[in-house]
């Protein structure tokens, strides 16, 4: 391929190749990756079907089989496991609820049972454990609030306490950590900003300071990193951009430089997007690359909602707007 052709390819989103890559990943049940990812398959399916919807190719997935499989992963306690026979966890409960929302199938589960599972994980200080083993993380605060919001009952948990715990995790640099006093990390910033947005409490953070910390994540390559001095990585196009978008500061980063970084991370032959150029592709980075481009309004993708991490059309149909 000539240098001119290469330049043309890497400046274009290879939509059909990505759609084929995601569809074949889901269907290839004999592959090593399929077995190796069993414990977090529910999130893998969420990344895959949401990316397909943004691309306009959800029809290429085996949607009836996926829906039946998601329903089969609900446990007695009301939560969802990462796969069949796995115990409930808030991470996979959120992915399952998001998939059901995307399919317009939230009425297929007993929401009260799921809501009581989620509220059972809230601690006295307002934080959330991910499961009965008790690890605390602001990721789980976001999972809990978003599940409750999607299930139409945000106040199934104690929202003021959840907010005060999240606020206690903001650092003097404007970022947020996984627990109070922990280092700022862009993934946690997304979770905390989105959770505060769901709770109607964005006035509780220092918006300019948070946005400065987020836009300083852009490196010379155009890509974004997750913490100072770390390498750029396509998934941070989502973790940083979504928070900037919620805070109305998406224009604080150089979008042209970021989009060309994401496009350089595509596998031009087999489809899929990697964390950085020349690395191996995976469904996680393929979703977050496409989601980042969608947030920037590029490549003719369906728009994604930065708080719900779902297509805007799904959020409208849930809210009846
Ligand atoms: C970076 O992880 C990302 C985070 C810490 C945030 C994860 C948030 C969730 C799983 C909540 C659900 C998310 C959505 C979009 C619905 P990493 O382990 O890759 O961090 P590293 O780059 O430091 O290794
Ligand atoms: Zn990554």
């Amino acid at each position: 391929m000539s240098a001119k052709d290469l330049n043309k390819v890497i400046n274009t989103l290879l939509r059909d190749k990505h759609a084929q890559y995601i569809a074949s990943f889901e269907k290839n049940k004999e592959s090593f990756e399929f077995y190796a990812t069993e414990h977090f398959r529910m999130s893998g399916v969420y990344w895959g079907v949401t990316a397909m919807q943004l691309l306009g190719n959800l029809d290429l997935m085996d949607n009836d089989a996926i829906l039946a499989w998601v329903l089969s992963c609900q446990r007695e306690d009301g939560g969802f496991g990462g796969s069949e026979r796995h115990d409930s966890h808030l991470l996979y409960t959120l992915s399952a609820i998001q998939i059901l929302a995307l399919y317009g199938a939230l009425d297929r589960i007993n929401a009260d049972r799921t809501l009581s599972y989620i509220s059972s994980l809230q601690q006295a200080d307002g934080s959330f454990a991910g499961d009965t083993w008790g690890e605390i993380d602001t990721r789980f605060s976001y999972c809990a609030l978003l599940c409750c919001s999607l299930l139409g009952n945000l106040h199934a948990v104690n929202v003021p306490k959840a907010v005060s715990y999240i606020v206690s995790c903001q650092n003097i640099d404007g970022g947020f950590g996984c627990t109070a006093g922990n280092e700022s990390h862009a993934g946690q910033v997304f979770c905390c900003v989105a959770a505060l947005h769901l709770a109607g409490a964005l006035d509780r953070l220092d918006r300019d300071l948070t946005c400065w910390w987020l836009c300083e994540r852009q490196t010379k390559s155009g890509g974004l990193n997750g913490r100072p001095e770390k390498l750029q990585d396509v998934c941070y196009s989502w973790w940083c951009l979504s928070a900037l978008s919620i805070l109305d500061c998406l224009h604080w980063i150089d979008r042209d430089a970021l989009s060309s970084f994401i496009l350089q991370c595509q596998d031009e032959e087999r489809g899929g997007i990697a964390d950085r150029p020349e690395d191996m592709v995976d469904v996680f980075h393929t979703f977050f690359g496409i989601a980042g481009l969608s947030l920037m309004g590029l490549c003719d993708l369906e728009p994604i909602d930065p708080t719900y991490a779902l297509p805007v059309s799904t959020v409208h149909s849930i809210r009846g707007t």
Side-chain angles (χ1 to χ4, degrees), residues 266-287:
Q266 300 178 101
D267 182 324
E268 293 148 47
E269 276 165 32
R270 280 161 298 175
I273 301 176
D275 55 355
R276 52 189 76 92
E278 314 303 337
D279 279 357
M280 287 276 287
V281 302
D282 57 63
V283 182
F284 177 86
H285 290 95
T286 303
F287 166 60

Side-chain angles (χ1 to χ4, degrees), residues 171-192:
N171 294 317
I172 50 167
D173 59 10
F176 289 80
C178 53
T179 55
N182 251 294
E183 180 190 10
S184 296
H185 184 296
Q188 315 295 148
V189 176
F190 157 72
C191 291
C192 293

